Structure formats: C-alpha cells, structure tokens
Amino acid sequence: MGYSRTSTICLIGTTGIVVTVEASVFKSASKASEAVRMSGLPDSVVNQAQTRVRAAMANSALSFPDKSVSVNFGPASLPTTGSAADLALAITIMCADDMVPGHRLEGAVLLAELGLDGSLRSVPGTLPALMAAHQAGLTTAIVSPDNANEAALVDGMTVLAPRNLSTLVAWLYGQAELDPALPAQTAAAPKIPDLADLRGQPMARRALEIAAAGGHHMFLLGPPGAGKTMLAERLPSILPPLSDAEAVEVTSLHSLRGRFTGGSAELIRHAPFEAPHHSMTMQALVGGGHGQVGPGSLALAHRGVLFMDEAPEWKRPVLDALRQPLESGEVQIRRANASIRYPAKVMLVLAANPCPCAPSKPHDCTCPARIKHRYLSRISRPLIDRIDLRVDLPSVPPSAILADQADAEPSGPVAKRVAKAREAAAARWAEAGEVWRLNSEVPGPALRSAKWRLPPGTTRTADELLMAERITARGYDRILKLAWTIGDLHRHDEPTAEDVTAASELRLGYTIT
C-alpha cells in the first residue's frame, strides 16, 4: 500500500486555508472496488476531478493506477470547493503509486485545474490563496502559466508554471527545468477620466470634492445630459492612490473574479470603479451564487466607487440589499456550512432623472406631481437616509458647453485638496487614539460625545432641522460628519456654523452656497 500527500488551498471568501490532499493506493481483491473514494467535504466540482485527472494522465502518457484509491481532503470538516485541487489530486495519487518522486514537492503548494489534455488551466483567487500559503510557511507555488504573473505578486514565493502535466512530471524526475516566474513589469497607469472634461456644474463639482474628501455617499438628481454619469466616472480621479495593504486587499477581490487570467498582473493601485446595469440581480450585486460563493460588484468596488445609474429603475429589494453593507462596510453571505465575508467600504453614487419622461429641459416635463413622487419613491427612504449628499443638477447651459475647455479645473488640483483634507482627518483621529481615517467612518455617538461635541451656536441649523423632524437621528449624525469634512477642506480646526449650514443644505439637496 502506498501513501502520499500534497498541499493545495481552499478559499472561504478572501481567506485561504491550507488543505492537505492525502492519497492511499492499494490492491483490492474486487475489481468493483478499483475506484477513487473521496472523503472530507468535497463539492461536486471536486468530486468530478477524478474524471479530469484520469483523462489528463491518459493524454500525458501516464497510467492511472489500476488499484483502489482513497483520497482525503483535510481538515475533513472544511468544505473543499472548485477545481483548484485538480493538480494536487493528480500528483498525490501518482506519488502514492510510486509513479513519480515527491521529494521536490517539499514546501510546495499546487494550485491549478487540469484540462482533459493534461494542460494546466487558471483558477480564480490565486493571489489570496498563495498569500495564505506563504503565511503558512509554504515556499513554492506550482500554478498554471495564465496565473504565473499574478502568483509572482506574492513576495517570498517561488512560482513555477509548467504548461502541462507531462512537463511537471519531467521536472519532478529532474529531466526538465522550470524557470521561476517573475512579477510583470509595471504597466502605465490606467487612463482615468478627468474633471476637465466636465462642462459647467460648479456646485456639483464642489459636492464631488466634499464626497471624495470624507468618503461620503452621493445622490445625483438631474435631467439627461446634466453630467451625472460624467461626475461619477471622474470621482476616482480625485481619490488618493491605494496604500500597499489596500492594494493587496482590492487586488485579491478582483482575483477571486478571475480578472487577471491570461495577461500580465499587477496590484491595483487606483480606486476601483464599478457601474453595474440596473438589470443586475441581487446575487451579482452583493455576492453569492451556487457552489463557490464569489464577490459581487459591491465588494469589487471596495476602496472605490459603486455607481448605480437610473436608480429608480433598479428592483427595490436589490437596492435595499445595500443598506446593511453601507453601515458595516462589509458583505456577509451565510450558507448552511459557511459564513463568508467580503470587505465593501465603498463610496456609493446613485443617479436618477427627476421623472419617468426625463426631458432635457424641466419645462418640457408632462409628468404630474404624483407620477414624479411615485417614480423617485422607488428608492426606499431607509436607503436615501444613508446618503450624505443630495445634489440637484440643473441643465447645462449652452454657454458652458461652448466655453474654452482650459477654463475647467482638472482633477489634479482637486485631488491635492482632497488628499490634504483626508490627511487632516486621519491625523486628528489618530492623535485622539481613534481608529477612524475618514470622517464618514466616525460613529454618530462619538461626534455627539463630550469629547467631540460642537457648541450649540455652531450646530444651530442642524439642531433646528432635527427639532422640526425634517431629518432623522441618522441624518443629524451625517450632517455632523459632512461638516467635519467641509471644515477639513477649509483648513478649520473644527467645523464652523457656516460649515454646518453648508452640510445641512447638502443633506437636504439644496444648492450649495
């Protein structure tokens, strides 16, 4: 009887767990027992792996053992999902049957799907999987060529990428050499739309700057052609670049969606931008799916912008699914045998036309008031209550469109002001021993506590709105957060009465003064 084991990685959300693949091969008196028996908690994809392994070995001039094969995925209580364990399964069975030596696999993790022709194929989530392997002390990764550049992003990990099973077997025998994969050369920074392209809308541009400085959510309401989409698309251009830790976190989420397959990979250094269509399902937006649960557009926009155009056209339950993640900054997906979390600290930008007929000029609208109300009420009040800035965009006048483009402020100077405001906020909370970095992250009770409470004369505008029940308690807290952001942009030590008034107007959707 022969025994062998190798290592692969199973992903639960973005968390990688080392899985030991064990195989025992032995002669059986009954031909009927000459089959592969799997134990642990393999899903249907893993159970089908024996079909892929048999065909891959046959097409690589290798013989599958004509014996009984027992395979265990450990820890046995961990659900093993996906096709990433194919290669580990094949090599473990061959080592257990003494077909190939296994001494070169010491400290190695195998992560690849097998094609029926014996080729190694890419799998999603290579980056977070190998980061977990490296943290567990594994030093060599054997992956498919399509995942090589992504795998090479993990510092301290030797990455080998054989084309097929035959090449890997030859390497195990010492009959072939595999050159370690190297990180791809740094590519040019992606082209991000610039604010200089936007014509007119000075008040909306100012609101965009405030949103970026504090990480606040926005609701843009205006007729077609007012610039709602252009504003949202240019929001990433004024956001600071991601730190190293943030870049790894964001890139890992995109890796889970297989967005680096087949090309050069590098860490995502800019704020991501996701703009899903209003026909998107709830699972596609927040994450989920059958079998292996993947991140949705909400998690893919982590540390960046989630833009939802034509907000009233979205199904209301899909929109309302955002309410809890917007508060907690993460998505929780529960299954019978697992609870999966994806980070989702996003800046949400909703956009809508004022009415269903959506004329380019307000006086051309033929919709009765009740139709307009019904149209916008498709966005639930609890969701709207979580939006900090509500901006009414007028139609762009012809004079703004025909004006010299050089008069429009580009994203560069705005990004510098945003960065300074964020630095001021981060320094303030750090000096106070707090963990927050953005004003939008500060809990409302903290801003109302004795330590951070503003004088009554400063908060009079917001206090009056609360007493008149024109805003909720959540709305009051969000006005305070906005006021701190406006104060940071004005270089104030703390918000002034004018800052609180401006924040109140933003909250209610008035024109900014």
Side-chain angles (χ1 to χ4, degrees):
M1 183 173 70
Y3 169 84
S4 182
R5 66 181 181 181
T6 60
S7 297
T8 188
I9 300 292
C10 177
L11 286 169
I12 299 181
T14 56
T15 303
I17 299 175
V18 177
V19 173
T20 300
V21 183
E22 301 176 290
S24 179
V25 178
F26 54 94
K27 279 286 187 181
S28 174
S30 171
K31 285 286 185 182
S33 64
E34 293 179 4
V36 178
R37 293 183 173 83
M38 295 189 182
S39 60
L41 288 177
D43 69 353
S44 59
V45 177
V46 178
N47 276 316
Q48 294 165 2
Q50 57 180 301
T51 301
R52 296 190 292 273
V53 168
R54 286 179 183 272
M57 291 177 63
N59 289 313
S60 302
L62 300 166
S63 299
F64 195 88
D66 57 348
K67 306 170 185 176
S68 290
V69 179
S70 295
V71 176
N72 180 60
F73 298 93
S77 58
L78 176 73
T80 308
T81 60
S83 58
D86 284 9
L87 182 60
L89 178 63
I91 294 298
T92 306
I93 291 174
M94 287 191 283
C95 288
D97 197 38
D98 294 326
M99 294 174 58
V100 295
H103 63 279
R104 303 189 78 173
L105 295 174
E106 187 70 28
V109 58
L110 294 90
L111 202 71
E113 177 183 322
L114 280 177
L116 299 185
D117 59 352
S119 61
L120 270 61
R121 296 180 177 174
S122 63
V123 293
T126 297
L127 177 59
L130 295 188
M131 288 177 61
H134 181 58
Q135 292 172 358
L138 299 174
T139 57
T140 302
I142 301 176
V143 300
S144 75
D146 284 343
N147 285 140
N149 287 331
E150 180 184 350
L153 294 174
V154 182
D155 291 333
M157 182 75 75
T158 300
V159 177
L160 304 177
R163 296 187 307 276
N164 50 45
L165 192 58
S166 298
T167 304
L168 179 57
V169 169
W171 177 78
L172 290 173
Y173 272 110
Q175 298 173 352
E177 290 300 321
L178 295 175
D179 295 327
L182 299 175
Q185 294 183 351
T186 302
K191 178 72 172 175
I192 302 177
D194 196 280
L195 276 175
D197 302 331
L198 186 68
R199 319 314 294 149
Q201 304 296 8
M203 303 307 176
R205 292 170 65 104
R206 176 61 175 165
L208 198 74
E209 181 176 340
I210 294 171
H216 302 287
H217 308 308
M218 293 185 69
F219 178 40
L220 302 174
L221 182 68
K228 302 185 294 294
T229 300
M230 291 189 72
L231 279 163
E233 290 176 342
R234 281 147 184 80
L235 181 52
S237 70
I238 61 175
L239 295 176
L242 302 179
S243 66
D244 290 343
E246 292 171 343
V248 170
E249 189 178 36
V250 170
T251 306
S252 295
L253 288 166
H254 287 252
S255 171
L256 288 169
R257 276 300 180 196
R259 292 193 171 184
F260 302 115
T261 301
S264 61
E266 59 179 286
L267 293 178
I268 297 174
R269 295 286 182 179
H270 59 279
F273 178 83
E274 293 289 322
H277 190 262
H278 62 260
S279 61
M280 177 173 279
T281 64
M282 185 182 301
Q283 289 75 19
L285 179 64
V286 301
H290 299 289
Q292 194 167 6
V293 178
S297 292
L298 179 57
L300 295 176
H302 178 57
R303 304 288 182 188
V305 179
L306 177 65
F307 176 51
M308 303 181 72
D309 199 6
E310 306 293 348
E313 302 297 334
W314 286 73
K315 294 181 180 178
R316 186 162 179 166
V318 178
L319 280 179
D320 283 344
L322 297 173
R323 286 157 52 180
Q324 183 270 335
L326 290 181
E327 294 286 343
S328 64
E330 67 176 12
V331 177
Q332 299 183 36
I333 303 172
R334 298 191 181 277
R335 292 291 185 265
N337 54 3
S339 178
I340 298 169
R341 297 171 182 262
Y342 291 115
K345 292 183 178 180
V346 304
M347 292 179 60
L348 175 65
V349 180
L350 297 180
N353 296 314
C355 61
C357 73
S360 58
K361 297 179 181 179
H363 59 265
D364 291 337
C365 178
T366 59
C367 299
R370 60 182 179 81
I371 297 296
K372 294 181 181 180
H373 176 75
R374 184 185 304 167
Y375 181 70
L376 292 178
S377 65
R378 295 179 186 177
I379 311 171
S380 68
R381 289 185 180 273
L383 178 59
I384 285 293
D385 203 35
R386 288 166 168 81
I387 306 298
D388 301 337
L389 299 92
R390 306 171 188 177
V391 184
D392 292 333
L393 278 72
S395 300
V396 180
S399 59
I401 299 174
L402 298 175
D404 187 355
Q405 188 171 356
D407 295 338
E409 185 179 29
S411 295
V414 182
K416 290 180 180 179
R417 295 196 295 268
V418 167
K420 288 181 179 179
R422 287 195 172 205
E423 290 169 3
R428 175 177 59 250
W429 305 126
E431 289 174 4
E434 308 291 1
V435 297
W436 317 303
R437 293 187 57 82
L438 297 173
N439 293 322
S440 60
E441 298 174 354
V442 183
L447 291 178
R448 289 182 274 108
S449 66
K451 186 176 183 180
W452 299 107
R453 185 185 301 126
L454 299 173
T458 301
T459 61
R460 181 179 295 112
T461 303
D463 295 344
E464 292 174 352
L465 290 174
L466 183 63
M467 293 297 295
E469 298 185 352
R470 294 187 61 190
I471 56 174
T472 63
R474 179 187 287 115
Y476 182 84
D477 290 341
R478 291 184 178 273
I479 286 176
L480 296 181
K481 297 178 187 182
L482 271 176
W484 279 96
T485 299
I486 295 171
D488 289 335
L489 285 168
H490 289 158
R491 309 285 184 88
H492 297 157
D493 292 334
E494 66 176 31
T496 64
E498 291 76 15
D499 296 335
V500 175
T501 299
S504 301
E505 293 175 349
L506 281 167
R507 175 70 185 177
L508 295 176
Y510 296 156
T511 301
I512 307 171
T513 58

